[in-house]
Amino acid sequence: MLGPRPLSWLPFAFGLCALGFAVLWIAPNPVVLTAGAVINCLGGGIMLPSLLTLDLSKLEYTDRGRGTGLWIGCFCLGQFICPLVVLALTAAVGSLPNAVGVLALAGALGATGLGAAVRRRSPAAAPAPAGRTVPTPVVAEASPAGES
């Protein structure tokens, strides 16, 4: 299941985030709430570098600085929008714990979908990332004896 490629880690990371949200959703006391937050943050800590590595591996080497800046800009925009989404979910479902429960269900669906996509994708059929061509070694042919 888990391999050296970032894509193989994403279902696991989404699953940890979903599990953390589920624990937050049903937490009866602050200790369990803290444990859920730790689980959720562990999933996010695995997910973010995996996504960044996966995205940047598709760019040419010379474009990776701009790609990193664009990725971080989108990440910060997402951090700004996230509380607004949670507030809207809270208004829609009636309470903050229920909004976190919706996030847990969404994360579980995401983990399931990503897991299915990763299993369908075979390593042999995966295209080489852009800018990562393997040079063919040049082998000098031996000349017949007597030729120079």
Side-chain angles (χ1 to χ4, degrees):
M1 175 183 158
L2 300 178
R5 298 175 48 131
L7 184 63
S8 64
W9 283 85
L10 285 178
F12 176 70
F14 267 84
L16 275 178
C17 284
L19 177 64
F21 278 134
V23 172
L24 290 170
W25 180 21
I26 62 170
N29 57 48
V31 174
V32 177
L33 189 76
T34 303
V38 168
I39 294 168
N40 183 274
C41 289
L42 181 62
I46 294 169
M47 185 187 313
L48 292 177
S50 297
L51 285 172
L52 182 61
T53 301
L54 186 66
D55 290 342
L56 293 182
S57 70
K58 309 232 182 292
L59 296 177
E60 293 286 336
Y61 184 74
T62 55
D63 294 329
R64 288 186 182 173
R66 264 185 300 252
T68 302
L70 182 62
W71 197 94
I72 291 174
C74 291
F75 176 74
C76 290
L77 183 63
Q79 284 188 319
F80 174 77
I81 292 172
C82 182
L84 302 175
V85 171
V86 172
L87 282 173
L89 277 174
T90 301
V93 296
S95 70
L96 182 59
N98 289 341
V100 173
V102 170
L103 293 176
L105 294 173
L109 288 173
T112 303
L114 277 170
V118 168
R119 281 189 299 275
R120 276 195 315 262
R121 185 180 171 138
S122 71
R132 295 230 181 153
T133 56
V134 178
T136 306
V138 177
V139 179
E141 294 183 18
S143 61
E147 282 186 27
S148 28

